[in-house]
Amino acid sequence: MPGLLFVNGNMASEGETLISAVVPLMKLICLTVIGLILAHPKMQIVPRATFKLLSKLVFALFLPCLIFTHLGQTITLEYLSRLWFIPVNVLISTLIGCVLGYLVAIICHPPPEFFRFTVVMTAFGNTGNLPIAIVGSICHSGDNPFGPDCHRTGIAYISLAQWVAVILVYTLVYHMMEPPMEYYDIVDEGIKDEEEEALVNDMSRPLLVEAEWPGIEDKETEHSKTPFIARVFNSISSVSQTAFPDVDLTVEGSNSSPKSIRCLAEPRVVRRIRIVAEQTPIRHILQPPTIASLLAIVVGMVPQLKAFVFGDDAPLSFITDSLEILAGAMVPSVMLILGGMLSEGPNDSKIGIKTIIGISVARLVVLPLLGIGIVALADTMNILVQGDQMYKFVLLLQYTMPSAILLGAIASLRGYAVREASALLFWQHIFAILSLSVYITVYFKLLSYV
């Protein structure tokens, strides 16, 4: 695989490659264990409410500061045109994940109401906080294998990938995670039981819900916890809806409109598509991290503005220096929050151990292997930026991540498979300790041979 070479003048020894790959993960594991100890229910050194506040700080302050300072300094119009494969790679990995998830659902036979959930949890990986933490840990040492600009370029590449991931979450994932209509009574009963238990224990939401995207559960609408799409499109047929009344699709004043005017109205199928589109919360993508990315891209692509904000001699350098100080809290905070999430342990779920193992193997073992082949093929076709090993490392990393923690928040927002998402994310992050160690070692070996 000549395209995946790290040209550094000398071939790294086997031991150095292993140490370079494993030590950064050991640092992150130590931070996670500290968070787990602090938040463990039996010790409660730090209460859960503190971790929720910390997650809001990460989301609203630390992460935007990190994205703006690193992406803004790195990005230019020419550079942006060369990095187009990063968002495309997210789409490719998601598409392959959907196929793998469908195969897992067929082979492992989860309960029918969790068939779509199995596909979603296999398809969508963590493209945000965890990759940022891994890159930050790898680049923390001065002798990292990616050079002096390791941290800045790594964060910039990951930030570009986040845009696609967030759009997918608020469109495709949001609708795929709606409660299945044919099993809505089962799912709805589970939701009520969880809500009653939450009231009894005075613990409104698990940390999982707010671990990566705080406030998403507050975007609930009247249709967010119902099989809205199924109700809208099933109303096309003449089959009676016994469990659900038909969604109101009439146009105001249509009963009194002349026949000629009604003929000009949009077709029923188009109307249903429009109604579903109106219920898609795409407007919520403009959250602090994505706003920071947008500002960074605007500032970075205007040379005069970039010189005014970034650089030692820039008039606003004192502001960017302050933001960089705040950005330094991002990685430790994220790992402490992850430890707090894991301290809650796996919830009881109905998805079955066989399905959990199937999703974990597909996500953490099979997908990374396919990712190596795809990135190597892209490099052979000269699609990638030649000589930029961090670029290739981030592309490979996108195939290696466990399922996105944000899926737990979407599950809570839709009222569907909340316990199953919690259990699956817990076990995946436990298994990911081993899989990430193996694959990052493999990536470093591929990037270390001359």
Side-chain angles (χ1 to χ4, degrees), residues 265-440:
E266 59 186 337
R268 290 174 63 85
V269 175
V270 174
R271 192 185 317 164
R272 283 160 172 77
I273 294 174
R274 176 179 56 80
I275 291 172
V276 171
E278 290 173 353
Q279 290 297 320
T280 302
I282 188 67
R283 61 190 180 278
H284 296 316
I285 66 170
L286 290 179
Q287 300 292 337
T290 47
I291 292 174
S293 298
L294 183 60
L295 289 176
I297 292 172
V298 172
V299 171
M301 290 194 302
V302 180
Q304 296 81 1
L305 192 56
K306 187 173 185 178
F308 192 76
V309 176
F310 297 106
D312 296 334
D313 299 329
L316 297 182
S317 61
F318 67 96
I319 295 180
T320 53
D321 287 345
S322 301
L323 296 181
E324 286 184 1
I325 294 172
L326 291 170
M330 165 67 187
V331 172
S333 298
V334 164
M335 301 317 296
L336 290 175
I337 293 168
L338 178 60
M341 187 191 86
L342 295 178
S343 71
E344 296 180 343
N347 284 323
D348 295 332
S349 69
K350 301 176 183 178
I351 195 171
I353 188 65
K354 185 168 68 172
T355 305
I356 291 177
I357 293 174
I359 294 174
S360 300
V361 170
R363 182 79 228 172
L364 302 177
V365 178
V366 179
L367 189 59
L369 289 174
L370 297 175
I372 292 174
I374 291 170
V375 175
L377 177 62
D379 197 39
T380 303
M381 298 171 63
N382 294 321
I383 293 176
L384 309 185
V385 179
Q386 298 302 315
D388 190 339
Q389 304 306 318
M390 175 55 77
Y391 182 81
K392 297 166 188 175
F393 179 73
V394 169
L395 292 176
L396 291 167
L397 205 59
Q398 290 174 354
Y399 291 93
T400 318
M401 292 295 101
S403 298
I405 296 176
L406 184 55
L407 297 178
I410 295 293
S412 177
L413 177 65
R414 301 311 310 261
Y416 171 53
V418 179
R419 291 183 178 274
E420 286 69 26
S422 177
L424 185 56
L425 288 171
F426 175 87
W427 289 116
Q428 271 205 53
H429 282 79
I430 296 296
F431 298 152
I433 295 174
L434 177 60
S435 66
L436 282 171
S437 300
V438 171
Y439 277 106
I440 290 180

Side-chain angles (χ1 to χ4, degrees), residues 153-168:
T153 55
I155 300 303
Y157 298 158
I158 294 171
S159 301
L160 290 176
Q162 276 189 304
W163 269 95
V164 180
V166 171
I167 292 173
L168 287 175

Side-chain angles (χ1 to χ4, degrees), residues 6-189:
F6 178 70
V7 181
N8 167 352
N10 297 305
M11 184 175 70
S13 67
E14 297 287 334
E16 290 174 346
T17 302
L18 182 61
I19 291 173
S20 298
V22 173
V23 168
L25 285 176
M26 296 304 296
K27 297 176 186 177
L28 297 180
I29 292 171
C30 287
L31 291 173
T32 305
V33 170
I34 292 173
L36 191 151
I37 294 173
L38 292 175
H40 196 276
K42 292 185 178 179
M43 303 181 69
Q44 282 284 319
I45 298 175
V46 176
R48 178 192 292 183
T50 303
F51 281 91
K52 290 188 175 183
L53 290 175
L54 181 60
S55 69
K56 291 181 180 179
L57 272 176
V58 168
F59 178 73
L61 184 61
F62 299 155
L63 180 57
C65 289
L66 184 73
I67 291 174
F68 181 78
T69 55
H70 289 78
L71 182 59
Q73 292 183 72
T74 304
I75 204 71
T76 62
L77 184 59
E78 179 185 0
Y79 211 59
L80 186 63
S81 65
R82 296 166 58 197
L83 303 180
W84 62 270
F85 191 71
I86 289 179
V88 171
N89 194 57
V90 175
L91 296 176
I92 293 173
S93 64
T94 302
L95 179 61
I96 296 174
C98 286
V99 174
L100 291 176
Y102 186 78
L103 293 176
V104 169
I106 292 176
I107 295 171
C108 297
H109 301 291
E113 63 268 27
F114 300 122
F115 188 96
R116 200 178 336 122
F117 170 80
T118 301
V119 176
V120 172
M121 295 301 291
T122 310
F124 296 89
N126 194 321
T127 59
N129 292 354
L130 188 55
I132 286 176
I134 291 174
V135 168
S137 182
I138 290 173
C139 299
H140 187 263
S141 59
D143 59 346
N144 70 80
F146 298 106
D149 292 331
C150 171
H151 197 211
R152 190 176 67 188
T153 55
I155 300 303
Y157 298 158
I158 294 171
S159 301
L160 290 176
Q162 276 189 304
W163 269 95
V164 180
V166 171
I167 292 173
L168 287 175
V169 164
Y170 276 113
T171 53
L172 184 61
V173 173
Y174 179 83
H175 290 306
M176 287 183 71
M177 290 286 281
E178 79 169 19
M181 185 171 184
E182 58 271 29
Y183 300 102
Y184 181 66
D185 290 337
I186 300 174
V187 176
D188 187 49
E189 183 179 353

